[in-house]
Amino acid sequence: MAADRLELPPVRLLPEEELARLALAVPLLDRAVRLARWCAPHVTVDAMGELTAQDVPRAVRELGLEEQPDGPADAAQAWGVAVDAGLVDLDIEDTDEDEDEDDEAGAGSVALDEPAGRAVPGEALGRLDAGGPREVLEVWLAALDTALAEAATPDLDGLLEELGPDGEVDLGSLDWDPEEEAEFLDGALANLYLFTAMEDSGGDAKDAVPLPVLAASLVVPEDVEEPSDALLEDVTEVMMRLDEHFRLLTTIGLLEYQPLDEALIEEAESEDDGPAEAAAVFPEEIGPEEVSRYGLVRLTPLGVYGVRSRMADAGTHAPVAGDLAGEPAAVLLEALFQYPDQIARREADAWLGNRKPYDAARELLDAARGEDRNAPGRRLVAQQTLSLLGDEAEPALREVLADRQLGGLARVWLTEREAADVPAPDEDMIFWLTVDTIAAQLDADDDPELLRELVTDLVARHDGFFTAAWRVDHPATADVLEAMGRIHPDKRLAKEARKAAFKARSAGTAAP
C-alpha cells in the first residue's frame, strides 16, 4: 500500500439526530444527566469534588440503584462523568489560604470526606437542554473520554493495596503504565474500527468480532501463519486485558460485548493448578459453536461515531461513506484505489449520481491522465468507475481514442458495449496499456497468485513480449519488467524479463 494514500475505508454513520437519541439513552450518560439536574440548586462536595458521605445515598436513590450491590460505585462513576463532561460545575474552597505556615500537624486542613465546596448544574447541561444533536454528541464524547480513562485505570482496591507510607501509589509495583494502557486500549478500538470499516455493511457493525481475533490482530504479525506458544500466550494475555476493559465500557454505549466465559479460566487454572496456560485458555482450534465463549465484541453505531471522532482528533484521516460524492474526480480516483471492491462501488455510484454521464466520463478521463507514480492506479479505478456508466457516456470515450494514455481503456469500454466503428489499437498502445495495467496491479498489492496469472497470460498471448516491452515509453516500464522477472513461473521467461528491465533502464525509459 502506498504510504501517501488512505489507510482506512469509509464507515457509514447514522444521521446526527439518530446518534444523539442513542447518546441520550446511554445508561452512564443518562445517570450523569440525572445527577446534574438533581444537584440543583447545589450540593456539597469534598475537596476532590466527590459527593460527601451523606449525599451518596441520596444520589443512589435518585438513580434507583438502592437494590444494586454496586449502586454506590455506579452513582460515583456517573457523578465523575457529570463533572468531567461539564454537566456539573464545582466550586471548591481553597482551604490553605489562611493556614498558619508553622502548623506542622496540618490543623485546619479538610479531610477528603468533609464538605469543601459545592456543585451546581453546569454549562454543558444547559447546552444539552437548549442545543441540537451536535451539542448532545459533544457531551457524549466528553463522557466517553472519562469512561475510557477509567477503563484504563486499575481498580480502586488494587490502588489502595499499593499505597506507600507517604500516601502515594507506587506505579512500578502495579506493573502498570497509565500512558501505555491508554495507548493499548486506543489501539484495540482502532483495530475494532478497522474490522467494522472493512465489512461489506460499510460500518453497520452487524457481525461481532471474536475476542481472540481482535487480540491476535494486536500482537501477531501479519506474515505469521502458525503462531508459536509464546505468541499464543501473548494473545491470551491481551484477551484478558481486553475483557477487563470492555466489561467497563458497555455502559457508555461504545460497544456491545459478550464477555469471555470465566469458566474457561477456572477450568484452565484447575487443570494446571496455577495460572491459566495459553493452550488451555486459547486452543489452536475453536469450533464455531464455542467461539462465543471466548468473547464477542462489536462497536455500536454510536461507537463507530465515537472512535472515528477520536481518531480524527488525533490527526487520522477516517472518511465517512458519501464524503467523496462532492469531490473532484482526481480525489475520488486516489481514494477508491485503496477501498475494498464493494465499498468502492458504493462510493463510485454516489459520485456518479451527482453528475450527468457525459460530464462524469469527461471528468474521470481528465483526472486519469498523468505520469506520476499513482497515475496507473487512477486509470485502473477510472476504468472501473466508467464501467458503471451507460451509453450516454460514449461520446466522451470516443473523444480520447487517440490519446496515448487513455485510448486503450476507451477501446476496452467501447468494445465491451459492442459499439460500432471502434478502431483497432496499434502495437505501441497495446504494450503501453499492458505496462500501465500491471503497474497499477503491483501498486495495489493484490493477491500475488492472481497477479502471477495475469503476467503469465499476457506473456503467453504476445510472441516476443519482452523484446517489445522494454521499448515502451512508460515511467514504470523498468519496474514492471523487474516485477515480471520475479513473478513469472517460467525461469527462462523470468530471465528474459530481467534482461528487458536492464535494457529499459539503460535506455532511460524508467522514471528518474
Side-chain angles (χ1 to χ4, degrees):
M1 178 182 293
D4 56 342
R5 292 199 176 138
L6 302 178
E7 296 182 359
L8 289 172
V11 293
R12 194 193 304 273
L13 295 181
L14 294 179
E16 285 191 345
E17 294 80 4
E18 191 169 346
L19 288 171
R21 286 195 294 272
L22 292 173
L24 289 173
V26 165
L28 186 53
L29 182 59
D30 175 65
R31 291 173 182 171
V33 171
R34 288 162 63 186
L35 289 184
R37 301 191 195 285
W38 162 79
C39 77
H42 69 267
V43 295
T44 55
V45 293
D46 64 21
M48 298 297 292
E50 303 289 347
L51 295 172
T52 58
Q54 65 183 18
D55 281 329
V56 169
R58 292 178 53 219
V60 170
R61 287 194 298 272
E62 176 66 22
L63 298 178
L65 301 174
E66 304 96 316
E67 304 300 323
Q68 302 295 325
D70 294 330
D74 290 342
Q77 181 189 32
W79 180 258
V81 168
V83 172
D84 291 344
L87 296 167
V88 168
D89 287 339
L90 300 177
D91 181 14
I92 307 295
E93 299 174 3
D94 187 349
T95 60
D96 296 327
E97 284 185 356
D98 301 323
E99 295 300 321
D100 186 349
E101 293 182 0
D102 297 327
D103 188 355
E104 296 181 0
S109 63
V110 178
L112 285 182
D113 194 39
E114 293 297 321
R118 66 178 191 170
V120 299
E123 184 265 340
L125 183 62
R127 287 192 289 111
L128 201 67
D129 291 336
R134 181 65 57 87
E135 286 73 20
V136 172
L137 292 172
E138 287 178 355
V139 173
W140 179 78
L141 287 172
L144 174 62
D145 287 343
T146 300
L148 289 172
E150 181 178 334
T153 303
D155 65 278
L156 182 59
D157 292 338
L159 287 175
L160 291 176
E161 290 176 1
E162 300 298 334
L163 280 177
D166 57 358
E168 298 197 0
V169 177
D170 180 6
L171 295 179
S173 64
L174 284 175
D175 190 24
W176 171 73
D177 182 325
E179 291 186 3
E180 189 277 334
E181 199 66 20
E183 290 178 2
F184 166 77
L185 183 53
D186 280 340
L189 292 175
N191 279 21
L192 186 57
Y193 179 94
L194 182 57
F195 280 120
T196 302
M198 293 296 289
E199 289 181 359
D200 290 342
S201 58
D204 292 335
K206 294 178 181 177
D207 298 326
V209 178
L211 193 62
V213 173
L214 180 59
S217 73
L218 294 169
V219 296
V220 179
E222 291 183 4
D223 58 349
V224 172
E225 296 182 2
E226 296 283 341
S228 63
D229 287 343
L231 271 178
L232 287 178
E233 289 179 8
D234 290 341
V235 170
T236 300
E237 179 187 349
V238 169
M239 285 172 58
M240 303 304 179
R241 292 169 69 185
L242 291 176
D243 179 70
E244 183 177 348
H245 292 322
F246 289 166
R247 288 173 188 264
L248 297 174
L249 290 173
T250 55
T251 58
I252 195 58
L254 180 71
L255 47 82
E256 295 175 3
Y257 180 52
Q258 180 173 326
L260 177 68
D261 188 348
E262 294 183 359
L264 291 170
I265 312 301
E266 295 173 0
E267 292 168 7
E269 290 180 344
S270 63
E271 290 176 7
D272 296 301
D273 194 26
E277 294 292 331
V281 178
F282 183 47
E284 293 184 8
E285 298 292 336
I286 302 177
E289 70 284 352
E290 294 181 317
V291 68
S292 62
R293 294 190 68 196
Y294 291 85
L296 294 170
V297 61
R298 61 184 166 195
L299 290 174
T300 65
L302 189 61
V304 173
Y305 169 82
V307 176
R308 179 190 172 275
S309 295
R310 288 174 59 82
M311 290 196 297
D313 287 344
T316 300
H317 182 59
V320 174
D323 275 356
L324 296 171
E327 295 289 347
V331 175
L332 176 81
L333 298 182
E334 289 283 350
L336 296 193
F337 185 64
Q338 292 298 332
Y339 285 2
D341 290 343
Q342 292 195 25
I343 296 177
R345 168 65 183 267
R346 187 179 63 238
E347 293 298 303
D349 280 334
W351 189 88
L352 292 172
N354 289 341
R355 295 161 175 81
K356 294 180 180 180
Y358 173 76
D359 295 336
R362 291 197 68 182
E363 188 177 349
L364 288 167
L365 290 165
D366 187 58
R369 288 188 176 90
E371 296 189 349
D372 57 283
R373 181 192 172 193
N374 294 344
R378 288 201 305 275
R379 282 186 283 272
L380 178 63
V381 176
Q383 185 171 1
Q384 294 167 344
T385 306
L386 286 164
S387 70
L388 305 177
L389 294 173
D391 293 343
E392 293 174 276
E394 181 174 333
L397 275 298
R398 288 191 177 276
E399 290 173 4
V400 299
L401 284 173
D403 189 297
R404 182 171 63 93
Q405 296 183 0
L406 305 177
L409 68 86
R411 283 169 171 78
V412 171
W413 189 94
L414 292 166
T415 302
E416 288 176 346
R417 282 157 184 75
E418 299 181 349
D421 302 323
V422 180
D426 58 29
E427 187 176 84
D428 287 345
M429 182 172 288
I430 292 174
F431 276 91
W432 197 96
L433 180 61
T434 299
V435 170
D436 199 58
T437 300
I438 297 176
Q441 297 291 348
L442 288 170
D443 202 20
D445 196 22
D446 283 337
D447 186 337
E449 188 57 37
L450 292 177
L451 187 58
R452 185 187 304 274
E453 292 178 5
L454 171 64
V455 167
T456 304
D457 181 62
L458 285 172
V459 174
R461 285 193 287 113
H462 296 281
D463 291 335
F465 179 90
F466 297 113
T467 301
W470 71 266
R471 296 183 172 88
V472 174
D473 184 19
H474 189 293
T477 296
D479 291 336
V480 164
L481 290 172
E482 283 181 354
M484 294 178 77
R486 295 191 302 270
I487 293 170
H488 203 290
D490 187 298
K491 292 183 179 180
R492 180 182 63 80
L493 293 175
K495 185 176 181 181
E496 284 188 27
R498 291 191 293 272
K499 288 182 177 179
F502 178 79
K503 290 181 179 179
R505 290 206 187 280
S506 299
T509 57

